[in-house]
Amino acid sequence: MASAKRLGEVQWTKVELGAKGDAPPSPRSGHTITVVGDRAVVFGGCGITPTINGVAGEPAIFNETYFLKLAEPMTWELVDVMGDVPSPRWRHTATLLPDHASVLVFGGLEKGRRFNDTHVFSMPDREWNIKECAGSPPHPRSHHTASLVDFEAEDELSLPISKVFVIGGYGGPGTTRDFFMDVNILELDVWSWTKVQYMKGPAPKPRSDHCVCVSGKKLILSGGRGWAQGKTHSGFFNDVHVLDVSAARAATNPTVEWVAPEGYNPDDEKPV
């Protein structure tokens, strides 16, 4: 856990778990952790099953749901969930929805198979539900990002709306595999997928394992990896791009624009 004692200072401390509660999740990576109120929801991942009676665990891909109670002393809970639990996966995304009580899980992979299904976990009900969405979902993928953006009401007769923007990743239909730099929008008011066809500006090179954070109506993308180019280019990026989605409120023909941040150097986009 990170805490700040003085302005500009961050200090890491190891959390001492309370005596009560379940055992923590077994070692894993590629899982997600999403804060919902006073708890964090941990789902999925790829790792090792627990050691039992001195017998070492085995490699596995998980679809367990855990709660981590954030009030000290922190405790873990292996949740007894109901509903349509997503199949085991890792390198998926988990996005907090506008009700601040539900988590949207999209994509991921298991043993080479990529997913493009959409699941929602209700924290109060402890229940998973698969969402049958209209439109055409993104191609199956993993290692992507999924970011929530809220749009204000346009006038007194309209309502605020929220959208999830899925960017990039690695995957493809069937057995095809490639890196993406497409932008797909999930319209949460009608649960419908739209692939953005109108993108202005120079888009980043296709990639996965990048990071995206939200700042108002802009999505800031950093780093990632794409195809290597011989021995001189590993395929890893250290560039920064900004996606302006302020014109993407319309459900029909949404428009986004890639804009270069101040001080952008095109050479930064070359793989390092």
Side-chain angles (χ1 to χ4, degrees), residues 119-200:
H119 290 79
V120 172
F121 177 68
S122 169
M123 190 85 158
D125 299 330
R126 301 184 173 217
E127 183 176 9
W128 285 99
N129 286 288
I130 189 167
K131 301 296 291 188
E132 298 293 343
C133 301
S136 298
H139 289 312
R141 68 189 63 201
S142 58
H143 304 255
H144 54 283
T145 58
S147 307
L148 177 72
V149 178
D150 297 318
F151 292 83
E152 298 80 10
E154 292 183 310
D155 51 47
E156 296 181 354
L157 300 179
S158 62
L159 296 172
I161 59 175
S162 299
K163 305 175 182 244
V164 174
F165 289 77
V166 173
I167 299 177
Y170 180 78
T175 59
T176 62
R177 293 293 178 264
D178 204 354
F179 292 97
F180 296 113
M181 189 36 64
D182 52 355
V183 178
N184 294 270
I185 302 175
L186 179 58
E187 313 276 351
L188 294 179
D189 56 333
V190 292
W191 291 98
S192 179
W193 284 105
T194 300
K195 182 175 181 178
V196 175
Q197 303 292 342
Y198 302 96
M199 285 197 291
K200 300 178 180 178

Side-chain angles (χ1 to χ4, degrees), residues 8 12 15 37 62 74-75 79 91 98 114 165 266:
W12 285 100
V15 174
F62 304 103
M74 294 183 176
T75 55
V79 186
R91 296 296 185 182
R114 263 71 180 181
F165 289 77

Side-chain angles (χ1 to χ4, degrees), residues 191-271:
W191 291 98
S192 179
W193 284 105
T194 300
K195 182 175 181 178
V196 175
Q197 303 292 342
Y198 302 96
M199 285 197 291
K200 300 178 180 178
K205 287 183 169 63
R207 66 190 66 194
S208 67
D209 294 307
H210 50 287
C211 293
V212 170
C213 67
V214 179
S215 177
K217 301 298 183 294
K218 294 181 179 179
L219 304 181
I220 302 171
L221 181 149
S222 172
R225 62 177 300 186
W227 292 117
Q229 300 175 16
K231 295 182 179 180
T232 57
H233 302 300
S234 66
F236 290 90
F237 298 102
N238 65 347
D239 50 352
V240 176
H241 297 263
V242 177
L243 181 66
D244 187 339
V245 301
S246 56
R249 191 187 194 283
T252 304
N253 299 329
T255 301
V256 300
E257 181 176 5
W258 287 102
V259 294
E262 185 177 353
Y264 171 71
N265 183 353
D267 289 338
D268 291 340
E269 196 172 351
K270 295 178 181 178

Side-chain angles (χ1 to χ4, degrees), residues 43-45 61-63 85-93 105-119 130 137-144 166 168-174 176-177 180 193:
F43 175 75
I61 299 173
F62 304 103
N63 66 341
V85 182
S87 57
R89 66 191 64 200
W90 62 310
R91 296 296 185 182
H92 52 282
T93 50
V105 167
F106 174 76
L109 77 150
E110 180 195 16
K111 297 180 179 178
R113 178 189 177 193
R114 263 71 180 181
F115 300 103
N116 65 345
D117 49 358
T118 305
H119 290 79
I130 189 167
H139 289 312
R141 68 189 63 201
S142 58
H143 304 255
H144 54 283
V166 173
Y170 180 78
T176 62
R177 293 293 178 264
F180 296 113
W193 284 105

